[in-house]
Amino acid sequence: MMHPGQINALLMEAETMEDVVHVILTKKQLFNHVNVATAIHLLAKKSKSHPSSSSSARPSAEQHEWSKVKAEGAGQTVKGQGKTPFESGQKAPNARTQREWSKIAVKQLTGPALRHADRMSEREVAMILWGFSQLGIRPSSDLQHVLNGSLVRYAPSFTPQGLAMALGAYAKLAIPLPRNFQAVLDSLDPPTGSGHGLASVNVLSALAS
């Protein structure tokens, strides 16, 4: 059984969006909070270079077979090799568009994200929110509720960059900020200045524009 460190290494080795999705589909039951954040972050990065095929195009037989890979297929091996398709170097064909792959991956990641939400650091929360914003997909209502709580809880410890990433995601996805978040931001402007005040002013100005 792979441990989270090995799964993260496998995610980092993924060359395409399809490779990341394949790791999610086959290993999600072993994911921890770090794996969830890494997977969403990589999905967002690799989605930018995805050569999305036309949704009206008829998939080939090979594409059809790859699209049948499900979470229940964890450990599925390439015949005679004892390795999963990704581990053996086999690449997923571009049978789906970037949007379709994103929806599949996000749906599969929601469960692990909710299970490990209480262990996520402020950096991981910012990574997850940024990833959702780049994919253009809102978290589920349950996950959004959890992320709202994390945003408020971690506000004092966010770096300016992390705070900007998180609030920028809320703006891009048109998600209302938690009701008490403005009050939390207002309390982060001590005379010595941690840098949070400037970041919050810049981002909140963007939210209002």
Side-chain angles (χ1 to χ4, degrees), residues 17-27 66 69 84-86:
M17 188 178 191
E18 289 86 352
D19 290 339
V20 177
V21 174
H22 179 65
V23 177
I24 294 169
L25 291 175
T26 59
K27 307 295 183 186
W66 189 276
V69 175
T84 65
F86 173 64

Side-chain angles (χ1 to χ4, degrees), residues 77-141:
T77 59
V78 176
K79 186 175 181 180
Q81 297 181 18
K83 297 181 179 180
T84 65
F86 173 64
E87 292 165 337
S88 68
Q90 179 179 336
K91 299 302 177 185
N94 293 317
R96 299 178 185 269
T97 65
Q98 175 269 342
R99 183 74 175 177
E100 290 171 333
W101 280 126
S102 297
K103 288 182 176 180
I104 291 171
V106 165
K107 182 177 181 180
Q108 299 299 320
L109 285 170
T110 297
L114 289 171
R115 286 198 301 273
H116 300 292
D118 60 338
R119 299 182 61 193
M120 290 178 184
S121 68
E122 63 271 21
R123 179 174 179 271
E124 289 154 2
V125 170
M127 287 172 63
I128 288 172
L129 286 168
W130 179 86
F132 273 110
S133 72
Q134 297 305 300
L135 293 172
I137 297 176
R138 280 190 174 194
S140 68
S141 57

Side-chain angles (χ1 to χ4, degrees), residues 163 167 185 189 196-207:
L163 184 61
L167 296 185
L185 285 181
D189 289 316
H196 291 90
L198 179 60
S200 63
V201 169
N202 288 343
V203 177
L204 289 180
S205 295
L207 289 173

Side-chain angles (χ1 to χ4, degrees), residues 170-184:
Y170 274 75
K172 187 168 185 178
L173 295 172
I175 299 174
L177 286 168
R179 291 182 180 180
N180 58 335
F181 191 67
Q182 181 61 61
V184 174

